Structure formats: C-alpha cells, structure tokens
Amino acid sequence: MIKFFLMVNKQGQTRLSKYYEHVDINKRTLLETEVIKSCLSRSNEQCSFIEYKDFKLIYRQYAALFIVVGVNDTENEMAIYEFIHNFVEVLDEYFSRVSELDVSFFSAVPAVHGGESAEPIDELPKMCSAREPQEACSVSTPVC
Amino acid sequence: MSDIVEKTLTALPGLFLQNQPGGGPAAAKSSFSSRLGSLVRGITALTSKHEEEKLIQQELSSLKATVSAPTTTLKMMKECMVRLIYCEMLGYDASFGYIHAIKLAQQGNLLEKRVGYLAVSLFLHESHELLLLLVNTVVKDLQSTNLVEVCMALTVVSQIFPREMIPAENSSGYKDLTGSFITILKQVVGGKLPVDFNYHSVPAPWLQIQLLRILRLLGKDDQRTSELMYDVLDESLRRAELNHNVTYAILFECVHTIYSIYPKSELLEKAAKCIGKFVLSPKINLKYLGLKALTYVIQQDPTLALQHQMTIIECLDHPDPIIKRETLELLYRITNAQNITVIVQKMLEYLHQSKEEYVIVNLVGKIADVLVLNTVDTYAPDNAWFIQTMNAVFSVGGDVMHPDIPNNFLRLLAEGFDDETEDQQLRLYAVQSYLTLLDVENVFYPQRFLQVMSWVLGEYSYLLDKETPEEVITKLYKLLMNDSISSETKTWLIAAVTKLTPQARSSNIVERLIQEFTISLDTCMRQHAFELKHLHENVELMKNLLPVDKSCEDIVVDASLSFLDGFVAEGLSQGAAPYKPHHQRQEEKLSQEKVLNFEPYGLSFSSPGFTGRQSPAGISLGSDISGNSAETGLKETNSLKLEGVKKLWGKEGYLPKKESKTGDESETPPIPQESTIMENVDQAITKKDQSQVLTQSKEEKEKQLLASSLFVGLGSDNTISLLGKADTVSHKFRKKSKVKETKSGEMTSIHNITCSSFSSLSNVAYEGDYYLNTLQDRRDKEFKKFSLNSELLDSESLAELHLVEKLSNCSLSTPSLFDDNNMEIFHPPQSTAASVAKEISLASSLLEETTEYIHSNLIEVCNNETVSVSSYKIWKDDCLLMVWSVTNKSGLELKSANLEIFPAENFKVRQGCLDGIHHFFHSDVLALWFRSSCSTLPDYLLYQCQKVMEGS
C-alpha cells in the first residue's frame, strides 16, 4: 500500500506531496526532511529501496528531482519503481519535456505555455488526477 | 451579477491580469478561468514571504465573499475551489471553503462534481467531522448509472473514508470470483487489451500485479481454487520474457503467488528458476528483489538457499547495507541449531554498524528470537556462547529493545530446561559473566541490562563457589551509589541485595546501605530500604520470605478470602445485610429514586429471620415470609437492605475486585516484569574481527567455508525443520504455554461428588472432571471438586446394593456441566430418564424465573429410586449460576439432608441451606447453588437461592 508520494529536490524543497494516510502538517515537514536525507545518502551503485522506520521508501532521481514513494511491507518494490517512471512519462506527455519547474506546479506553467492563461485551470485537475493513483492501495495502469 | 463578482475579484489580484483581454461575457469567462493563473503569477512576482501572505489573505477574503454569496454559480464555485486548493497547498487555512467543496460534489455536473470531489479529498481526512456530510453524496454516486460518477465516488472512498466505514469482508466470500479474475488476467497476459494500456510493450503491468495479488489471496490454503489458477500463472511466467524492470515486477509477484497458494511442483520448479534470474542479475534492484523472493520461498523449499548460497554469501558482504539487511532477513528464516552461531554473529556485526533505532530494535528482536527459540528447542551450542551473545545484544539494544526480550530471557534462566545440572551451569555462567562485567571500570551498561544482571545476581549468586554473597553485595552497593543509574534500576538492585542478605554472614554493607537509603529523597528507595531494615532485624522471617532458588514457585494466595468467613458470619448473625456487589447497589439506588413505588409492601425481613444461620454466608428465609410472588419478594428484599442495616462492606465490595486481583497475582510467576540486559560486546567483537581478518588469496575459500557453515542442515535429507516465520510464533510461546499448563493444572481441582444415600452404609463416589467454561471473558478454566453427601434417613425400603449399582452407572457418564459441547455426551440410562422426566420438568418450572436468561438444559447428574440430582447452569449478565436440585421421587419423607461440600481452591460453595426439614418436606426439591470465588460469579446467587426457596 502506498503511504505517500513525494517530489523533493536536492535542496530538500518539497515540490509535491500527497499523503494517503493522514499525517499532521508539522510532522510532514520532518518526515520529508528525513526522507530526502536518506535518499541523498545513497549512491548509484546502491539499490533504490530504503528501509525507513516501519515502511520502505522507493525513490528515483530525475536530474535534481527525487521522486520518493513510501510504501508498506506488502508492496512490490519494483512495481512502484516503474510506476514512478510511468508517472514521469505521463507528466512528460502533458508538459512536453517536463522539468522540475513544471512540477513545482503552476508557478512555471504559464511561462512554459507562453501565457496561454486558459490552460492552467484545466491543467490542475489533470495534474491532480495524474498524481493520484486511483486508490491508495493500488497503482493505476497507464491510461494515456 | 457575475460582473460584480468579477469586479471584486479583479480588484485584488487583478493587477496581474494585464494580458487579459477585457469586456464581454467571453472575456469574463476567460478572465475567470485565468484567475488561478494570475494568482500564481502574482505570487511568483512577489519578493518576500510577507507580501505573499498579504496577497493570499486578500485572495482568501475575496474567495470567502464569493463562495458564500448566494449568486455564485456552480461554475464559479468550481473555479473558486481550484484557487482554494492552491491557497491550502501553500499552507494557508481555507477551511471556510470545505463545506462548499462538499456542496459542489453534491450538486455539480460531472466536471464540477469532479473538482468538488478533488477538493474534498485534498481538504478532508478520515477523522474530519465534515466527512459525515459527504456520506450521502458518495452513496448516491456509487449507485449512479454513470460510470465516471461511480469512479469518482470510489476514489474518494478509498482516499478519505476510514476503514471501518467501508465494510470489507474476508476473501472466502469471493471465491466464486476466482474464475473471473483468472479470465481477466488471461486476457491481459494474452495482449487482448488496447495498446494504450501497454507500458513499454508490457500489457497493463500494474493490473497484472493486482490480479496476481488477488489470486494469491484467493488461492491461499485452498487446493481447489489454486488448481484453477495454475494455467494462468504458468502463462504469466512464460510471457514475462521481456527484459524490462516491470516484467521483473510481474515475475516477482508471480513467484510469490505460486509459493503462497496450494503448491504444484511443476510450477514451483519454474518459479525457482525465475528466482535465479533475479538473484544472479548484476542490477542491484533486481538482486534485492531476488533476495526478497528467496526469503518468501525459502520457508517452503530450503534447498533453494543451497542453490544460491554463493550469491547469498556475496550479498552478506555487500557494500549496500540494505542488501545486507535483506540477506540477514533471509538467513534469519533458515536459522537452525547448526548454523545459528554464524548467523547470529553476522547479525551482531550488522547491529554494531547500524545507528538507526528502528533497525536496532528490529534486529535485536530477531537475534533474541533466534537465540531463545533455539535454546528452547535444541540448546544453543553452549552456555558461554549463549550468555555472551545475549550480553552483546543487551549492551547494544538494551535501552531500545522490546521489554519482552529481557523478560523472556530471565524466564528462560529461571525455568530452565529439562536438565537441572545444565540449568545450574547456565545460571552459574551468567552470574560469573555478570560479575566480570561489573568489574570493568568506566563502562556504562544500559539500564535494562543492569536490571537483568541484578535479578540474576540476586537469584543465583548462591551457586558461586569462590565469591561470597558479601562480595556480590559490595558490587551491587557500588552500583547503587552510582549517579548514572536510574531509580528504577536501583530498586532492582536493592531487591537483589535484599535477596542476598539472608545468605550473607556479615552485614556491614547492608547496614550501611540501609543507613544510606532510609534517608533517601526518593520515597520509593526509602520504602525499599525500610523494608530491608525491618526484614534484616528478623533473619528467620527473611529466610522464609526469600527462599533460595524458588523464583518459579507460586505463592499460594487464598483468593476466596475464606479466613474472613467467621467475620462475615458474625456480621450476618448480628443482622447485617449480606454483601451486594457494587453494580447491584447502584441499580437498587436508581430504582429507589423513582418517584412512586407501586410495589406492595407485603414482604419484609424480620430480624429473627436472620438468626440461626447454618452456613456462614448463606441466607435462609424465615417461615414468616408471606407468600408473595418471587419477584416482588426480591425487589422488596432489595429495597430493604439499603436501609438501617449496618454496613459491613465498603464501596468497593470485598469479593469481586479483590479476588480478581489476587487471582492475577497468583498466576503471574514472580519473575520481574521488566528488565533488560547488555554486555560483553568487546569480546564478541574481537572474536569476530579475528575471524574476519582474511587474506585476499584465501577469500574464496573462506566464502566456501562460510557457506558450508551457513547452509548446514538445509539439505533435503536433513530432518531439521526450518523455522519459518509462522512457526516462530508458536515456538516462541512454547515455553510460555508450558508454564501455563502447569499453572492451570495446579489451579485445577477435581470435583468429586459423593452421594451417599440412605444411611451411611452405602457410599458411592462420583468422580468427574468438570470442565468449567464459565463466561466468555474468563481466561482460566476451573475445575471443581465437591462432594455431595446427602444422607437420607427413613428409607429402609430401599435396597442398598441396587442403589450403589445405579449410582455408579450414573457416575460413568457424568457430564461436563460447563461445556456446551460436552453436554450432549451425557445420556442418562433410558429407563431412568423416563422416570425422572416428570420431576425434571417440575424442577425447571420451579426455577422458572431464571429461564429468562440463557441457560443450559437440565442435566441429571445421578439418581436412584428416591432422589435424583440434576443440575443446570444459567448465564446471567454478570454471573454464572449453577443450580443443583435434588428431587425426591419416592414420596417418602426425607428427614434430613446433609450436604458436604469441599471447597476447592478458587471455588467456594455456598449452601442454599434449608430451614430445617420443614422446607424440604414441602418442596420435594432441594436446590443448591454454587458460587465460584472468581469475580465473574458474584454473590447475588444468594438471591437466586432466596427466590427459589420462595417458589417452593
């Protein structure tokens, strides 16, 4: 089961977070810091799965951006690992050459789209739907 | 109107809308939809946090005005929601909009509903109070004919509704869906889905994984269902050929499923081959997955570990700690008596390197598990190794480990194994090793470890030859004076000193200690010191109180408080009210508070009625009681008792509470509740280091060696069973359950009925074990023993011999009175059954008022021509009532009935004693009540006694 989905950059700024289990806002910051710290401490030769407290972190690095998914014991790590990539591919499809700026959401979106102001509104629900695996306990299959 | 709103909105962040074309409804729409864009742009243009705050506050207040304005259309609301989400995402409170989000989800068209649901799922969480308002909407949408609506509702349900609001059933209810799932999987695997669903040319991989997972749940321990899925699993294995990560994910799931469902050897073989692909892969992620898969399958097929042993060895020394960790997890599953030393050593190595608390706790638990487990089953290799390893475990994990570990360790030491000399050696070794450890200067041990040490030293120092108790006390005293030791540990230490004091010849240090701590500021310590002081003054008492090596023996506690019986009887004979439990008094109080009492005042207890009791606590009703209905009688009795009666008992009552407490105490073995250890890391480390200094050239050889030591005992011909995780649990508790058994054995007493009828010449003993399964919440089973000795005079007409025969017949089939299952076993001899049928019905009608409660059938225990003894039990809300009735069938006058009841431990018998022959003569039925001293069987059985008396 997926517990949370995070996009954090190397500086430790959270670009996107989605929790599928309620976590207090102030605890989230702490958790995110710790999570990114443990991801940064890993080298390329090491595997992409980390044990963190009683759950597992699965991370993938895209340039300076880490996408980290926290799952519990029953999850298939490789499936999640590929799911992250799928998610990025979907983003890429939406934003054509997705970058961290896109992900840091709307702040950059108008720039990318050359001031097409109608876009962002429509983009938001899509973004959100893209980042919500249909249920917390499952991974949605690519529909696009 | 929208223009007005438009104006309000544009007034604030509108500054950023320069690019916006103006005027016209089309423009309004466009500017509306770009509001978010402008907000975002506005925020990016700002330079300080303060400005952002200001802007957002403005935005929020304008949104607040908009959403609560009645003119706001749903479409505008949708737009507002999106902006609210954004504000909330930036960390500002937008809770005023939550309710509107719910409304939007309720009322909007498809797109608006979608945004509403999205907002709700982002705003609310499962314990949010507004969630209730959403329930109806969700239920409605779930029933919608529009698939999209159903999907939205399902999504929101899975996201925010708490688990208990979604009734989930176990997999057994869905077995009939197996076929459908298999068909779906077949289609997916067969590439029947549109190409859109492909991910790197793998058809719907996550769907496949889900389906495999579902099949695993369905096929678990179910041969028939499993057989249905063999084909599709086989196909999945075959199809997953592409060399892409996601196919490995599917393969992994497939292997897991194959090993979880009812096994088929062909498939298992194929799956095992697949695991090879993982384990041998150079890709680290796949290797990890392979290890995980091996961990799953190794419990079923240990030979697989042999196949991959070299890989496992490599992974054991892998630079990536996660891989190492996973390998240890794998080894943990294959630990047996032969490889335990190597595996534990590897685990300890890892333990010393890791700093994360969670890992330490987990690993320490596993090591302790493996150790204790193997010590129970086989004996750890030797005492020294066992103690030293435990020392290492306690030293590292002492302060974080689960408190069960030290407890179990101490229990193990105290209870020992089958071999007493072996046990003594183990204990002696522990004592010696702890003394050595305490000699080391400037070392700090975790508190739990010190507690374990102090307990062991206190209990088993007597085993030492050289060191005298005085020396041990001196060491403990030194620890006591150490400031770094917590006061909890100090109480353990002082307890150890107390235990050792009677064994010591000179007591200088003890006296010093007493002096020191009787003035301690810590009240707890002072208390202990004073106890020690007083005990110290009376050495004989101290020796009795603290016997040597008796830690496993139980202290006998008179749970029934029978020593108070005399006092109770005296109180009752002076007119005191019999004890009533707290709840009953409460009820009575409540009923008294009612404005009007419509009950007649017919019944009353006169004090003469209370005199001349024959049993200490029993109540008998005087003959002056008028013949009101039983119920009125009872009520009247109740109300009477509240007034003008000397209170013998406090608010807490005497039986239920105290008994349950003392009962618990007697069950708990006097092993300390909490304790921990730590120790001799250094030795272990140096040992390891030595073993690890390997020259490069020898490395391969060493690995081989390690492999042979690790995988020893895993061959197929080996009979040693591997300890799977599931097994672990049961093993772990083996030791414990042993204790339990003996314990319940002790508590058990056999109920023994002796009925002797018609002169004391004929005595028939009924013996039977009555398995008392009283109330559901009662943990302990109780066996009762009582002997019923009824002597009936005036019965010359009966043939004694015949009677004896008959009665012993009955005794053979003595039923278990308290177990419903067993009840049917009892079949009274046909003839007897017929003859007593009438009486039985009489008896049951007599006790009519009790039938409103759940009760067992009336069971005849024994009978002869003159009397029949039958019994049944009634479960009331708060008690178990066991009613015995003696029915006189002969029509002869029974002059007296002698009831002898031998109370067993934990069981006490109250005698519903008759007021002389008089009563018996009239009634034909003698009813007896038995009360157990345990808290769940309260006193007011006595009232039942009264009731039945009246009824007769």
Side-chain angles (χ1 to χ4, degrees):
Chain A
M1 208 177 114
I2 299 177
K3 305 264 183 191
F4 56 78
F5 190 103
L6 291 178
M7 286 175 119
V8 194
N9 67 10
K10 268 189 171 171
Q11 286 78 46
Q13 292 165 301
T14 308
R15 289 306 189 188
L16 186 146
S17 69
K18 172 74 191 166
Y19 290 83
Y20 298 96
E21 245 169 38
H22 185 65
V23 181
D24 282 346
I25 300 278
N26 40 8
K27 279 186 190 151
R28 289 184 187 190
T29 329
L30 188 73
L31 181 109
E32 283 159 21
T33 326
E34 282 187 32
V35 164
I36 188 65
K37 224 195 270 165
S38 43
C39 287
L40 283 170
S41 69
R42 308 280 296 170
S43 72
N44 282 342
E45 293 84 52
Q46 297 183 315
C47 68
S48 316
F49 317 124
I50 316 174
E51 278 186 16
Y52 175 76
K53 301 230 166 106
D54 53 344
F55 49 84
K56 292 225 169 87
L57 304 174
I58 293 134
Y59 71 92
R60 251 182 128 137
Q61 190 180 356
Y62 295 92
L65 192 67
F66 280 94
I67 298 183
V68 192
V69 183
V71 299
N72 69 359
D73 247 6
T74 57
E75 199 55 72
N76 180 333
E77 283 92 345
M78 190 52 92
I80 299 294
Y81 185 71
E82 282 309 303
F83 166 70
I84 295 174
H85 191 66
N86 184 28
F87 171 65
V88 174
E89 282 179 4
V90 171
L91 284 187
D92 207 40
E93 196 78 7
Y94 268 109
F95 295 100
S96 61
R97 292 187 55 75
V98 70
S99 70
E100 189 190 335
L101 281 179
D102 301 320
V103 181
S104 59
F105 233 38
F106 304 100
S107 51
V109 172
V112 170
H113 290 271
E116 286 175 26
S117 47
E119 278 299 313
I121 291 261
D122 292 331
E123 217 59 40
L124 175 66
K126 278 190 208 154
M127 263 303 288
C128 296
S129 64
R131 73 195 165 88
E132 58 188 36
Q134 286 308 304
E135 313 131 47
C137 59
S138 75
V139 175
S140 59
T141 25
V143 203
C144 51
Chain B
M1 190 64 220
S2 83
D3 280 349
I4 299 169
V5 180
E6 181 61 53
K7 256 183 209 160
T8 12
L9 290 174
T10 41
L12 308 155
L15 298 163
F16 308 100
L17 282 172
Q18 291 109 343
N19 295 343
Q20 226 44 67
K29 186 203 172 245
S30 150
S31 75
F32 225 160
S33 53
S34 64
R35 197 132 310 260
L36 179 69
S38 49
L39 174 67
V40 169
R41 243 171 296 149
I43 289 170
T44 10
L46 296 173
T47 49
S48 74
K49 182 84 183 157
H50 183 67
E51 281 172 13
E52 178 194 298
E53 226 165 84
K54 223 167 124 192
L55 179 69
I56 295 284
Q57 288 310 337
Q58 282 175 345
E59 178 73 21
L60 282 175
S61 49
S62 90
L63 277 170
K64 202 171 188 172
T66 319
V67 292
S68 45
T71 47
T72 312
T73 62
L74 285 175
K75 195 163 193 179
M76 286 152 71
M77 192 67 95
K78 183 191 92 180
E79 198 276 330
C80 290
M81 274 311 136
V82 175
R83 271 187 293 158
L84 273 178
I85 292 174
Y86 191 68
C87 293
E88 183 101 349
M89 264 169 46
L90 290 176
Y92 299 91
D93 178 50
S95 50
F96 63 85
Y98 293 178
I99 188 75
H100 299 284
I102 294 176
K103 265 196 221 156
L104 193 65
Q106 250 160 24
Q107 300 160 353
N109 63 23
L110 212 56
L111 187 58
E112 288 149 8
K113 201 184 248 301
R114 175 132 180 74
V115 175
Y117 268 131
L118 176 66
V120 164
S121 70
L122 291 170
F123 289 154
L124 306 185
H125 55 83
E126 61 174 34
S127 47
H128 202 283
E129 50 191 356
L130 287 180
L131 204 59
L132 282 175
L133 295 175
L134 195 67
V135 174
N136 271 336
T137 321
V138 170
V139 171
K140 202 183 84 201
D141 284 339
L142 281 175
Q143 290 159 350
S144 162
T145 47
N146 188 337
L147 191 67
V148 183
E149 279 181 357
V150 178
C151 281
M152 287 191 292
L154 273 177
T155 311
V156 88
V157 163
S158 69
Q159 276 177 352
I160 54 172
F161 278 90
R163 225 156 256 259
E164 57 268 25
M165 281 174 84
I166 312 165
E169 288 152 63
N170 61 0
S171 63
S172 58
Y174 299 105
K175 296 277 185 197
D176 54 327
L177 291 176
T178 314
S180 317
F181 285 124
I182 289 170
T183 320
I184 298 173
L185 185 56
K186 257 186 195 146
Q187 285 175 358
V188 175
V189 173
K192 300 268 165 38
L193 288 185
V195 201
D196 283 350
F197 286 90
N198 282 8
Y199 173 77
H200 293 264
S201 37
V202 180
W206 292 282
L207 182 63
Q208 286 192 44
I209 287 166
Q210 283 298 327
L211 286 167
L212 287 168
R213 222 172 270 171
I214 291 169
L215 290 184
R216 177 159 80 233
L217 292 175
L218 288 171
K220 199 164 191 186
D221 306 321
D222 186 343
Q223 186 175 0
R224 249 181 24 153
T225 318
S226 297
E227 276 165 2
L228 296 173
M229 51 185 84
Y230 290 147
D231 276 349
V232 75
L233 288 176
D234 191 31
E235 197 174 342
S236 291
L237 276 185
R238 263 189 297 115
R239 291 271 182 165
E241 281 158 352
L242 274 168
N243 209 6
H244 188 269
N245 271 342
V246 86
T247 49
Y248 284 107
I250 297 173
L251 274 182
F252 173 80
E253 210 63 41
C254 221
V255 169
H256 193 181
T257 302
I258 288 171
Y259 272 91
S260 301
I261 62 172
Y262 191 87
K264 186 191 179 193
S265 55
E266 224 176 284
L267 267 183
L268 292 181
E269 247 171 60
K270 282 183 185 167
K273 241 183 236 164
C274 267
I275 293 177
K277 278 194 216 171
F278 285 98
V279 180
L280 298 175
S281 165
K283 283 187 189 166
I284 185 101
N285 284 343
L286 293 182
K287 200 161 248 175
Y288 173 90
L289 225 54
L291 284 173
K292 208 177 149 184
L294 264 182
T295 315
Y296 283 132
V297 303
I298 217 151
Q299 293 161 41
Q300 303 207 8
D301 187 4
T303 48
L304 266 180
L306 291 176
Q307 272 176 35
H308 298 294
Q309 47 176 309
M310 285 324 282
T311 323
I312 296 174
I313 299 294
E314 269 164 32
C315 291
L316 205 50
D317 289 323
H318 202 278
D320 187 350
I322 302 290
I323 297 281
K324 248 188 193 175
R325 180 89 176 67
E326 203 58 35
T327 318
L328 287 179
E329 182 75 36
L330 170 73
L331 291 179
Y332 166 65
R333 308 290 177 102
I334 58 165
T335 312
N336 59 27
Q338 282 129 302
N339 60 18
I340 181 171
T341 21
V342 192
I343 291 178
V344 167
Q345 185 194 319
K346 287 282 170 196
M347 283 174 151
L348 281 175
E349 269 169 43
Y350 189 86
L351 196 59
H352 289 306
Q353 288 162 7
S354 55
K355 285 173 191 68
E356 214 186 308
E357 188 180 314
Y358 187 82
V359 175
I360 294 177
V361 174
N362 190 300
L363 211 55
V364 159
K366 287 208 168 110
I367 297 177
D369 207 36
V370 162
L371 277 179
V372 174
L373 193 72
N374 278 275
T375 317
V376 172
D377 277 358
T378 59
Y379 293 143
D382 62 82
N383 290 335
W385 182 82
F386 176 61
I387 295 294
Q388 281 183 8
T389 316
M390 278 318 279
N391 288 349
V393 168
F394 282 127
S395 319
V396 179
D399 284 331
V400 290
M401 67 170 54
H402 198 276
D404 274 357
I405 296 171
N407 285 352
N408 287 342
F409 173 68
L410 289 184
R411 178 174 288 180
L412 199 71
L413 273 186
E415 283 165 7
F417 311 105
D418 304 330
D419 185 352
E420 186 57 30
T421 50
E422 188 83 14
D423 294 343
Q424 296 294 29
Q425 272 173 9
L426 182 66
R427 288 167 194 158
L428 180 60
Y429 189 86
V431 170
Q432 282 166 343
S433 117
Y434 295 154
L435 285 178
T436 330
L437 282 181
L438 290 181
D439 275 342
V440 184
E441 298 282 333
N442 295 325
V443 182
F444 298 100
Y445 301 110
Q447 301 301 318
R448 290 241 181 92
F449 191 18
L450 286 173
Q451 291 165 10
V452 168
M453 284 191 201
S454 48
W455 190 84
V456 172
L457 290 179
E459 282 295 326
Y460 298 116
S461 284
Y462 77 94
L463 293 168
L464 289 167
D465 301 330
K466 276 181 274 163
E467 284 98 339
T468 56
E470 287 86 346
E471 286 172 64
V472 180
I473 292 178
T474 315
K475 280 182 182 147
L476 294 173
Y477 176 73
K478 239 163 83 193
L479 279 178
L480 268 173
M481 302 315 282
N482 192 332
D483 288 334
S484 63
I485 286 171
S486 75
S487 57
E488 192 201 346
T489 311
K490 281 188 181 175
T491 57
W492 282 76
L493 285 164
I494 216 164
V497 172
T498 314
K499 278 181 217 162
L500 288 174
T501 306
Q503 297 164 29
R505 257 176 247 106
S506 81
S507 53
N508 290 341
I509 297 184
V510 178
E511 272 155 22
R512 215 162 75 204
L513 184 145
I514 292 171
Q515 248 180 3
E516 198 89 37
F517 283 96
T518 43
I519 53 163
S520 165
L521 286 179
D522 186 335
T523 46
C524 200
M525 293 303 293
R526 210 160 59 217
Q527 166 86 19
H528 283 292
F530 271 109
E531 279 170 12
L532 177 57
K533 187 181 171 195
H534 287 296
L535 283 175
H536 191 51
E537 282 160 8
N538 188 349
V539 181
E540 269 317 302
L541 175 68
M542 196 169 191
K543 278 185 176 158
N544 282 333
L545 192 70
L546 303 162
V548 171
D549 193 21
K550 290 283 191 290
S551 64
C552 286
E553 273 160 49
D554 294 319
I555 297 164
V556 182
V557 178
D558 183 2
S560 62
L561 302 180
S562 58
F563 55 88
L564 284 173
D565 280 355
F567 179 68
V568 174
E570 198 184 322
L572 284 168
S573 65
Q574 283 167 14
Y579 170 74
K580 277 185 276 175
H582 184 65
H583 64 92
Q584 198 186 347
R585 267 173 284 147
Q586 291 264 308
E587 275 170 28
E588 285 164 14
K589 219 176 184 175
L590 280 176
S591 62
Q592 256 208 341
E593 276 161 11
K594 280 176 193 161
V595 194
L596 282 172
N597 184 8
F598 295 102
E599 304 292 342
Y601 292 98
L603 244 178
S604 68
F605 279 107
S606 56
S607 50
F610 278 98
T611 53
R613 269 212 182 81
Q614 292 171 0
S615 76
I619 297 177
S620 55
L621 299 182
S623 48
D624 52 339
I625 291 167
S626 61
N628 269 9
S629 82
E631 278 186 350
T632 340
L634 183 69
K635 270 189 193 153
E636 210 44 50
T637 310
N638 290 346
S639 58
L640 252 181
K641 263 159 208 154
L642 281 172
E643 295 155 16
V645 174
K646 195 172 121 198
K647 271 198 177 166
L648 261 186
W649 305 106
K651 208 179 172 188
E652 291 305 308
Y654 89 95
L655 264 176
K657 283 217 165 154
K658 278 186 188 161
E659 268 167 17
S660 63
K661 229 180 190 170
T662 40
D664 283 350
E665 274 161 23
S666 67
E667 282 156 34
T668 328
I671 287 173
Q673 284 293 324
E674 266 188 291
S675 53
T676 332
I677 312 182
M678 72 150 149
E679 205 196 296
N680 206 340
V681 195
D682 293 12
Q683 288 187 19
I685 293 175
T686 40
K687 223 173 153 186
K688 259 175 259 158
D689 284 347
Q690 284 164 359
S691 69
Q692 277 188 329
V693 179
L694 309 169
T695 54
Q696 282 293 340
S697 60
K698 281 186 185 166
E699 205 173 71
E700 269 312 300
K701 214 173 153 195
E702 291 289 342
K703 274 189 180 170
Q704 295 280 6
L705 213 70
L706 180 59
S708 62
S709 57
L710 272 179
F711 299 100
V712 63
L714 287 182
S716 48
D717 53 342
N718 201 300
T719 47
I720 290 166
S721 68
L722 295 169
L723 305 159
K725 205 166 197 180
D727 286 343
T728 313
V729 183
S730 59
H731 282 283
K732 201 150 117 200
F733 295 111
R734 183 178 296 173
K735 198 75 201 168
K736 272 184 209 155
S737 60
K738 211 158 137 195
V739 191
K740 261 260 158 86
E741 266 168 38
T742 51
K743 198 128 279 166
S744 62
E746 275 162 31
M747 286 170 45
T748 308
S749 42
I750 296 152
H751 283 216
N752 181 351
I753 313 171
T754 319
C755 278
S756 88
S757 314
F758 308 95
S759 89
S760 50
L761 287 173
S762 64
N763 250 335
V764 180
Y766 283 53
E767 287 198 9
D769 284 342
Y770 286 28
Y771 180 59
L772 175 61
N773 181 7
T774 52
L775 296 172
Q776 293 134 320
D777 56 344
R778 291 202 41 208
R779 289 165 308 158
D780 293 322
K781 284 111 195 176
E782 231 175 66
F783 292 78
K784 300 184 192 165
K785 169 174 189 165
F786 60 86
S787 131
L788 179 74
N789 203 329
S790 70
E791 238 178 294
L792 304 175
L793 302 178
D794 256 32
S795 59
E796 307 109 42
S797 59
L798 285 169
E800 287 161 12
L801 191 65
H802 182 58
L803 176 70
V804 172
E805 272 170 24
K806 269 239 167 152
L807 285 174
S808 42
N809 272 346
C810 299
S811 76
L812 288 177
S813 53
T814 324
S816 159
L817 287 173
F818 290 90
D819 193 329
D820 279 328
N821 299 330
N822 291 346
M823 218 170 296
E824 286 160 29
I825 297 170
F826 175 66
H827 300 292
Q830 205 63 38
S831 57
T832 346
S835 69
V836 290
K838 209 178 93 199
E839 280 80 2
I840 288 173
S841 66
L842 173 68
S844 38
S845 66
L846 264 172
L847 305 175
E848 205 168 44
E849 64 270 50
T850 56
T851 53
E852 65 199 80
Y853 299 100
I854 307 167
H855 59 88
S856 70
N857 296 328
L858 191 73
I859 296 166
E860 195 184 27
V861 179
C862 57
N863 73 75
N864 62 32
E865 282 94 321
T866 359
V867 290
S868 101
V869 179
S870 34
S871 88
Y872 72 105
K873 47 191 170 157
I874 303 159
W875 289 275
K876 307 194 73 165
D877 295 345
D878 47 4
C879 70
L880 171 81
L881 186 65
M882 186 170 146
V883 181
W884 289 72
S885 42
V886 181
T887 313
N888 183 358
K889 300 190 288 183
S890 65
L892 291 168
E893 187 184 11
L894 301 177
K895 289 262 168 70
S896 78
N898 236 352
L899 183 70
E900 270 181 42
I901 288 156
F902 303 114
E905 194 185 344
N906 249 15
F907 182 75
K908 192 166 178 175
V909 182
R910 284 287 145 93
Q911 203 169 329
C913 209
L914 295 169
D915 200 12
I917 315 159
H918 181 68
H919 245 84
F920 197 72
F921 190 67
H922 284 299
S923 68
D924 271 353
V925 173
L926 163 69
L928 310 167
W929 286 262
F930 297 96
R931 200 194 68 190
S932 164
S933 62
C934 77
S935 58
T936 42
L937 304 178
D939 304 46
Y940 82 80
L941 300 188
L942 289 175
Y943 296 93
Q944 297 308 319
C945 175
Q946 290 173 2
K947 275 191 188 176
V948 178
M949 292 302 188
E950 285 157 23
S952 59

